[in-house]
Amino acid sequence: MTSYQLDVLLTESDLRRALQEDVRAGFGAPPGRRTLPPKWFYDERGSKLFDEITRLPEYYPTRCERAILGARAGRIMELVAPSTLIELGSGTSEKTRLLLDAGRETVRTFTPFDVSESTLRSAAEDLSRRYPRLAVHAVAGDFERHLGHLALLHSPGGPAGSGQSAARPPGPWLLAFLGSTIGNFEPQRRRAFLGAVAAALSPGDWLLLGTDLVKDPARLVAAYDDGAGVTAEFNRNVLAVVNRELGGDADLDRWAHVARWDADQEWIEMRLRAQGRQTVNLFDLAMTVRFEDGEEVRTEISAKFRRPGVSAELAAAGFELREWWTDPAGDFGLSLSQRR
Ligand code: SAH
Ligand code: AVI
């Protein structure tokens, strides 16, 4: 028998309301400045497509980060000896198993935290089967809104009257944010997010942060525009989500996938480009949006980093960089920092 605890901070109707707001604002902007936030990629199909992306030959970040974790997990767990491991944007938590294996002696509780409840449920199920002595306490929530909930993890009575979780066990927390998901925030939101992470932790706790690094633009673009077209499908899937959840009639076949390197901002932009002039009706929002031929909607940025920038941003948020590792080719950076 497997068991895990799951706190659901986002009901179906919360999610719909948030999507409605994002689409109203994002599609309501003037042509050329229209956007959809990347968190809506990750319904069940989108999460599966992302998983496929991580195995594509062009998409190096997952492989590089896994190699770094494989080499360093022992050192990380020895240095930190955490009682609780929290992972934001955890997805399948596949790479995280390297940390859980290395931390078998110290880690008592694992808290995967993700907006995709279906992915979270199957990851939690799988982890509680693999690690029967580990308390898996999952949180389905938005890491830009619900980090305050972490304070309740070990409070007497547990989160929201769950009746579970005792007082915080001795030993620091280790909060992992892997995959360079931090690159999907714009700089201002990134700052706010790191500040909120620092506020959710106590002095002496640790942050393990994965950051994809600046490199040859041709390799970067290929990673976001793979030959098999999986990333294109992942990108278009956001329109399938909008159609399904908001009664939309966007024709997915009339939107082209675009991946472009912005050398000034040092980020990849994913966009959807209208193939022909068209109208999208969103019946649940009583909204009609007209798109000109060639008009683009930005669906994601994926910022790429350099070590000095990462270190400065961490310091500004109240963290001291203690370790910095890359894969042998220097494609991906993993930093371990401590909350001051
Ligand atoms: N950490 C994994 C997965 C990265 S994909 C890895 O390194 O491979 C990004 C993950 O973040 C997805 O599982 C997605 O559902 C989740 N996510 C995206 N936006 C989120 C948000 N606002 N709040 C919580 N989770 C979010
Ligand atoms: C989750 N995130 C870090 C991925 C990235 O690389 O920005 C999402 C992704 N988008 C396209 N491919 C992968």
Side-chain angles (χ1 to χ4, degrees):
M1 235 233 358
T2 60
S3 76
Y4 60 87
Q5 184 180 338
L6 173 69
D7 301 342
V8 179
L9 308 183
L10 284 166
T11 61
E12 288 280 313
S13 70
D14 295 331
L15 278 167
R16 258 176 65 82
R17 211 171 312 119
L19 176 64
Q20 285 176 351
E21 278 168 26
D22 285 348
V23 172
R24 239 189 229 112
F27 273 5
R33 294 195 9 222
R34 291 175 172 158
T35 56
L36 289 172
K39 76 174 158 210
W40 303 113
F41 284 134
Y42 299 93
D43 67 343
E44 212 163 330
R45 177 154 183 276
S47 299
K48 288 208 169 85
L49 286 168
F50 175 75
D51 203 44
E52 239 182 275
I53 287 174
T54 64
R55 288 189 290 274
L56 291 170
E58 296 94 334
Y59 195 77
Y60 59 86
T62 308
R63 274 189 301 281
C64 292
E65 192 178 44
R66 188 185 297 114
I68 306 170
L69 284 167
R72 309 295 180 178
R75 163 80 180 136
I76 293 167
M77 287 307 184
E78 191 184 274
L79 185 64
V80 177
S83 56
T84 299
L85 174 63
I86 298 159
E87 182 182 17
L88 303 182
S90 45
T92 60
S93 290
E94 190 262 335
K95 284 169 290 183
T96 317
R97 297 204 314 248
L98 293 164
L99 293 169
L100 291 170
D101 289 342
R104 272 180 196 273
E105 295 306 317
T106 59
V107 179
R108 297 279 161 268
T109 305
F110 176 53
T111 290
F113 185 126
D114 205 285
V115 73
S116 171
E117 192 182 322
S118 57
T119 311
L120 197 58
R121 278 186 189 278
S122 59
E125 178 85 35
D126 175 62
L127 289 164
S128 53
R129 191 176 311 113
R130 284 174 194 270
Y131 302 93
R133 287 169 47 214
L134 186 70
V136 177
H137 183 155
V139 180
D142 184 332
F143 52 47
E144 285 195 270
R145 289 172 51 202
H146 298 127
L147 290 187
H149 185 77
L150 296 176
L152 306 176
L153 273 183
H154 297 295
S155 67
S162 65
Q164 299 200 25
S165 295
R168 181 175 163 156
W173 283 4
L174 173 61
L175 186 144
F177 194 36
L178 302 177
S180 204
T181 302
I182 192 155
N184 299 137
F185 293 121
E186 289 187 47
Q188 208 180 329
R189 288 178 94 145
R190 197 159 78 213
R191 230 180 342 268
F193 172 80
L194 282 175
V197 169
L201 298 177
S202 305
D205 286 343
W206 298 78
L207 170 65
L208 185 68
L209 182 66
T211 43
D212 191 16
L213 303 177
V214 174
K215 58 182 61 62
D216 173 13
R219 281 188 64 211
L220 284 167
V221 170
Y224 291 83
D225 194 7
D226 62 280
V230 181
T231 311
E233 259 197 78
F234 174 73
N235 195 6
R236 275 190 285 266
N237 186 55
V238 75
L239 292 179
V241 171
V242 167
N243 279 349
R244 187 183 63 233
E245 300 299 328
L246 304 181
D249 63 359
D251 180 351
L252 271 61
D253 294 335
R254 298 186 69 204
W255 290 88
H257 168 66
V258 177
R260 194 176 292 139
W261 172 242
D262 182 328
D264 294 329
Q265 302 284 2
E266 296 195 321
W267 67 44
I268 285 279
E269 283 198 7
M270 287 212 315
R271 292 168 167 266
L272 288 166
R273 182 192 293 139
Q275 302 290 87
R277 197 170 190 209
Q278 55 193 287
T279 296
V280 174
N281 295 296
L282 300 158
F283 292 100
D284 296 4
L285 297 181
M287 188 176 181
T288 296
V289 196
R290 289 186 181 78
F291 295 94
E292 292 302 321
D293 180 30
E295 189 182 326
E296 291 181 356
V297 174
R298 193 173 81 182
T299 50
E300 185 181 71
I301 65 158
S302 193
K304 305 303 164 190
F305 298 87
R306 298 173 189 273
R307 177 180 171 160
V310 173
S311 171
E313 289 187 33
L314 287 169
F319 290 97
E320 188 183 336
L321 183 67
R322 296 285 301 273
E323 300 276 0
W324 169 267
W325 301 288
T326 72
D327 55 302
D331 283 335
F332 197 94
L334 185 70
S335 58
L336 180 64
S337 51
Q338 194 167 23
R339 165 91 152 75
R340 281 195 294 268

